[in-house]
Amino acid sequence: MAALVPVLVAGLAIFGGFNYAPAAKRTIALAGIGREKLNTAVAQAGDLIYIDDTIHCEDVHYHEPSGLLFTACEDNEENRAKWFPGLGTLTDPLVGSKQKGSIHVIDPKDMTQKRLKFENFDSTYVTHGIDVITDPQRADAVYIFAVNHVPHPDYLATKLGGQDSQKITQKSQSRVEIFHHILGSSTAKHLRTVIHPLIKTPNDVFIKDPYSFYVTNDHYYPDGVGRHVEDIWPGTTWTDTIYVHIEEMSSLVPTEGIKAEVALSGIRNNNGLGHGRKAGEILVGNCAGGEMLIGELSSDLKKTTVNIIESVQVDSYIDNPSYFDDPYKTDVFDASGFVLPGLSRPIDVPKQVHNTTSDIGSMVWYVKPAAGSNGGYEKRLMFEDDGTRARSAAAAVLVAIDPAQEKGERKAWLFVTGFMAGSVVAVKVDL
């Protein structure tokens, strides 16, 4: 079925064009049909750096107080092709059960990384989205929440027992892991695992505080024909974002001490989450819709819904949105804006997901308020890659460079990574 997706997308777009020309035109643009994969030129060799030991890191976050980046990595280029529920790949739970991903800390000052050693955690870890916040009780520590796609034990048992013909409805028992890390140390202590029936196809997390978070379900159907319909048809609005409250952090039973409810629904493809311009602002990526939704969280602790107040569209799929708060802004120039990573040709992804040397093209949009406008945005492609340097862009963040180091020019390091990226890439860009 996956091989038919490009044909079906093209067919639906052409068919829809007769009656729904604007929608069909946008569908074609988002899918990348007819789009050439391009490479943004890099002025000097030292302006593009590959971060070592960062294989298939789907998400990356910049922790501004410490000046460090955090990312979750799969650590090998083979497993994604056999087990990664984030792409609907659920063929080999045995491979998935043996996966031991990791969390890395990247220092943008010297472009080095450190792999954290887990305490109290030696289990399966299939990486996807993460989030990081400062510990409210300790300024030199952070909480790290991470999605983990563990194969469902029933599905694993049928495979081990050679019972492939037995129908299993739930193949992945995905969950969220909670870690605590003291900045500068080499370890991350595992606090607990969170499993809840509403967390079905988790993609990314947004930490509200150490005891509450939001998590997106990026599909209603985890695999099969239903999932392909979701990927193809723009009218599907079946995904949701879940609010989760943790009543007991020390519980050893993943399903105990957890309350959850739907906080946002009716979105085509809830995906990456990000922190916005101020406290209580949440960014929600509607990936297949090429849209970033800007939402507000209520100050009333009893109200957990996400109130969408604005949206920004670009002409590609986008994933984990982030906000860049310019530390060197002046009254004359403020480079603060949103960073939206995505794919240049999503239509090629079904053919590439089982290819360990894929060349999935990347695009990174830079969106900031337009000068002299009321509510308008200036959008530009900050970086493009044909998949040879930075493939499958799913997350990107900007880290400003002191203008004094660049002869007064405004530049930043753009860190880009993806679900099938060979490494996190840092490229120097103009703001």
Side-chain angles (χ1 to χ4, degrees):
M1 179 67 183
L4 295 176
V5 171
V7 177
L8 290 173
V9 170
L12 286 168
I14 294 170
F15 175 77
F18 289 107
N19 297 308
Y20 306 101
K25 184 177 180 180
R26 179 158 175 78
T27 298
I28 291 171
L30 292 174
I33 298 172
R35 176 183 285 147
E36 182 182 359
K37 294 191 296 183
L38 301 174
N39 273 332
T40 298
V42 176
Q44 302 179 39
D47 290 349
L48 191 145
I49 299 171
Y50 298 94
I51 308 299
D52 72 323
D53 193 28
T54 53
I55 299 172
H56 289 190
C57 311
E58 193 271 349
D59 198 3
V60 63
H61 282 268
Y62 178 55
H63 182 246
E64 189 174 346
S66 67
L68 299 171
L69 290 87
F70 290 79
T71 186
C73 305
E74 202 70 358
D75 292 336
N76 71 75
E77 294 191 337
E78 304 297 327
N79 289 5
R80 281 274 199 254
K82 298 177 180 179
W83 181 265
F84 184 48
L87 288 175
T89 304
L90 299 155
T91 53
D92 197 334
L94 181 58
V95 167
S97 68
K98 295 179 179 179
Q99 177 58 25
K100 297 289 183 71
S102 59
I103 293 174
H104 298 239
V105 181
I106 299 171
D107 188 341
K109 296 183 182 67
D110 58 12
M111 300 299 176
T112 59
Q113 63 78 35
K114 177 172 61 179
R115 179 193 294 249
L116 298 181
K117 181 180 179 180
F118 292 139
E119 294 181 3
N120 302 331
F121 186 75
D122 189 27
S123 304
T124 299
Y125 181 28
V126 180
T127 62
H128 204 160
I130 66 167
D131 195 14
V132 181
I133 65 162
T134 301
D135 181 346
Q137 304 300 320
R138 185 170 178 174
D140 67 340
V142 296
Y143 282 94
I144 305 169
F145 286 34
V147 171
N148 183 9
H149 294 295
V150 177
H152 195 285
D154 292 344
Y155 183 43
L156 181 60
T158 61
K159 286 289 186 178
L160 291 174
Q163 301 169 311
D164 289 0
S165 60
Q166 184 174 337
K167 185 176 179 60
I168 298 294
T169 56
Q170 186 179 352
K171 297 178 179 178
S172 176
Q173 194 178 61
S174 299
R175 71 279 306 272
V176 173
E177 310 291 355
I178 300 177
F179 299 92
H180 188 263
H181 167 64
I182 298 174
L183 296 169
S185 74
S186 61
T187 62
K189 182 179 180 180
H190 185 256
L191 301 181
R192 72 159 294 165
T193 296
V194 175
I195 295 177
H196 192 277
L198 288 180
I199 303 176
K200 300 174 182 177
T201 56
N203 182 297
D204 200 13
V205 288
F206 173 102
I207 308 173
K208 184 179 181 182
D209 58 58
Y211 286 85
S212 60
F213 65 93
Y214 291 83
V215 55
T216 53
N217 286 313
D218 59 24
H219 284 76
Y220 182 83
Y221 294 98
D223 62 349
V225 175
R227 184 184 178 99
H228 291 307
V229 171
E230 290 185 78
D231 289 339
I232 296 167
W233 191 250
T236 59
T237 55
W238 307 332
T239 67
D240 52 25
T241 296
I242 307 301
Y243 170 79
V244 180
H245 178 69
I246 304 164
E247 296 181 320
E248 179 54 63
M249 186 64 78
S250 61
S251 176
L252 299 178
V253 181
T255 56
E256 290 186 355
I258 301 297
K259 288 186 177 180
E261 57 187 293
V262 176
L264 178 66
S265 60
I267 308 300
R268 180 185 175 189
N269 186 206
N270 273 353
N271 220 274
L273 296 172
H275 293 264
R277 297 161 290 191
K278 57 185 179 181
E281 186 171 86
I282 182 172
L283 311 178
V284 183
N286 176 12
C287 178
E291 180 180 41
M292 177 187 68
L293 306 173
I294 302 174
E296 286 184 338
L297 305 179
S298 175
S299 57
D300 185 346
L301 298 179
K302 295 180 180 179
K303 296 180 179 179
T304 61
T305 56
V306 176
N307 178 35
I308 301 301
I309 59 172
E310 192 177 0
S311 66
V312 179
Q313 291 187 341
V314 293
D315 291 332
S316 74
Y317 278 32
I318 59 169
D319 205 334
N320 298 288
S322 65
Y323 180 70
F324 169 65
D325 186 10
D326 184 2
Y328 301 105
K329 56 179 171 281
T330 66
D331 293 337
V332 178
F333 184 79
D334 184 355
S336 300
F338 301 101
V339 182
L340 309 179
L343 308 178
S344 54
R345 288 181 52 85
I347 195 170
D348 293 337
V349 172
K351 297 181 294 184
Q352 297 274 10
V353 292
H354 302 297
N355 178 8
T356 57
T357 58
S358 66
D359 59 352
I360 300 172
S362 299
M363 305 174 78
V364 180
W365 299 86
Y366 175 48
V367 178
K368 65 177 185 177
S373 68
N374 294 317
Y377 286 95
E378 170 191 317
K379 310 170 190 177
R380 71 176 170 95
L381 272 172
M382 176 170 271
F383 181 73
E384 289 186 85
D385 194 85
D386 64 2
T388 56
R389 301 174 300 181
R391 63 180 186 252
S392 69
V397 296
L398 282 170
V399 178
I401 300 174
D402 187 340
Q405 298 178 12
E406 296 292 337
K407 299 179 180 179
E409 295 183 9
R410 294 307 320 279
K411 295 180 181 291
W413 284 106
L414 174 68
F415 290 82
V416 185
T417 189
F419 50 89
M420 296 189 76
S423 68
V424 176
V425 173
V427 58
K428 187 180 289 188
V429 295
D430 294 318
L431 294 175

